[in-house]
Amino acid sequence: SQKIEQNSEALNIQEGKTATLTCNYTNYSPAYLQWYRQDPGRGPVFLLLIRENEKEKRKERLKVTFDTTLKQSLFHITASQPADSATYLCALDPNGGATNKLIFGTGTLLAVQP
Amino acid sequence: DVKVTQSSRYLVKRTGEKVFLECVQDMDHENMFWYRQDPGLGLRLIYFSYDVKMKEKGDIPEGYSVSREKKERFSLILESASTNQTSMYLCASTSAGGETDTQYFGPGTRLTVL
């Protein structure tokens, strides 16, 4: 079956360390993959998009990698801060952008301890 | 900035009531979506609309209907609310024909059905 998997267990890290979150998918061939941040009781907010022909994408302290062979994306936050604590969702368009619909993972909760 | 607003942040209704959730976006987006989000299940697509008066069922349309009379407004209707429809409801919009389908979310409506 087709699915997107993110680690359902919360990730607890110390302030200043690098947080790494994983997104694995099966049976899709997405043209790109997106990452969103969601704070408690709020809607998700778009962070980054990485295309299938890009190995890595950066934005300030955020870095995303995309390995289409492994069917995996890694999301890194360097020099993490307590304000980075949130749930992070990955998402992809299963139809390669043809329908504008996204499939979301269930998200990983990141807790950065001061 | 894209702005997606939802009519209520919190709503409490009784079983059997008809419930209207409204969503308005100000970016002239063609596509609009309604999701529900439950712990452990992630975001699940209820309905989406790719144009005025056009709609398509998502993954879990049972018990819901939608209305899109104007481009900026997309309404979700619970014809007869049931307790299993207690959830967080999120509206999103995206531009059709764009290079990517990044979705912009509203703040969410936490619906409780008693």
Side-chain angles (χ1 to χ4, degrees):
Chain A
S1 64
Q2 299 174 316
K3 54 184 178 180
I4 302 177
E5 287 186 335
Q6 294 185 256
N7 194 341
S8 57
E9 290 184 14
L11 178 63
N12 290 287
I13 64 165
Q14 208 65 33
E15 183 175 5
K17 301 291 187 186
T18 296
T20 299
L21 286 68
T22 305
C23 176
N24 295 298
Y25 59 93
T26 57
N27 297 329
Y28 294 121
S29 297
Y32 43 79
L33 193 142
Q34 304 183 24
W35 284 88
Y36 290 76
R37 169 184 172 140
Q38 186 174 23
D39 292 290
R42 314 297 285 186
V45 175
F46 171 75
L47 294 175
L48 276 171
L49 177 147
I50 185 164
R51 301 179 190 282
E52 61 179 338
N53 61 352
E54 296 175 317
K55 289 255 188 305
E56 182 179 297
K57 197 82 166 278
R58 291 176 186 260
K59 179 183 175 183
E60 297 171 354
R61 294 184 295 110
L62 309 180
K63 184 178 87 171
V64 173
T65 63
F66 193 12
D67 189 325
T68 55
T69 303
L70 290 178
K71 294 187 181 290
Q72 180 181 78
S73 176
L74 298 179
F75 178 83
H76 307 271
I77 305 176
T78 57
S80 60
Q81 304 166 1
D84 295 325
S85 299
T87 296
Y88 292 86
L89 309 171
C90 66
L92 56 83
D93 184 332
N95 299 297
T99 61
N100 298 130
K101 285 194 289 183
L102 295 179
I103 305 289
F104 287 84
T106 53
T108 298
L109 175 62
L110 172 67
V112 181
Q113 311 296 334
Chain B
D1 274 354
V2 176
K3 191 144 189 195
V4 180
T5 56
Q6 294 183 228
S7 49
S8 307
R9 289 300 313 279
Y10 300 94
L11 211 51
V12 180
K13 295 291 182 181
R14 298 212 171 269
T15 302
E17 279 192 79
K18 190 168 186 175
V19 182
F20 293 87
L21 302 182
E22 297 215 315
C23 174
V24 178
Q25 51 94 4
D26 67 357
M27 279 302 290
D28 203 35
H29 283 167
E30 293 80 6
N31 300 321
M32 296 187 75
F33 306 83
W34 274 106
Y35 297 90
R36 64 178 281 177
Q37 186 174 34
D38 301 285
L41 297 178
L43 282 161
R44 293 183 290 168
L45 182 64
I46 305 171
Y47 267 98
F48 75 101
S49 168
Y50 47 90
D51 203 349
V52 175
K53 297 193 188 296
M54 306 300 284
K55 61 186 179 186
E56 263 192 46
K57 293 179 180 178
D59 300 317
I60 51 164
E62 297 78 21
Y64 303 95
S65 62
V66 290
S67 172
R68 186 131 181 238
E69 296 296 318
K70 292 185 177 181
K71 191 174 185 180
E72 67 271 17
R73 190 180 298 270
F74 191 35
S75 301
L76 179 70
I77 303 152
L78 287 65
E79 295 291 341
S80 177
S82 63
T83 54
N84 64 12
Q85 291 179 310
T86 291
S87 186
M88 169 70 114
Y89 289 87
L90 289 158
C91 173
S93 72
T94 189
S95 175
E99 204 173 322
T100 68
D101 43 18
T102 299
Q103 293 194 4
Y104 298 87
F105 285 85
T109 296
R110 173 75 64 185
L111 173 67
T112 301
V113 183
L114 302 175

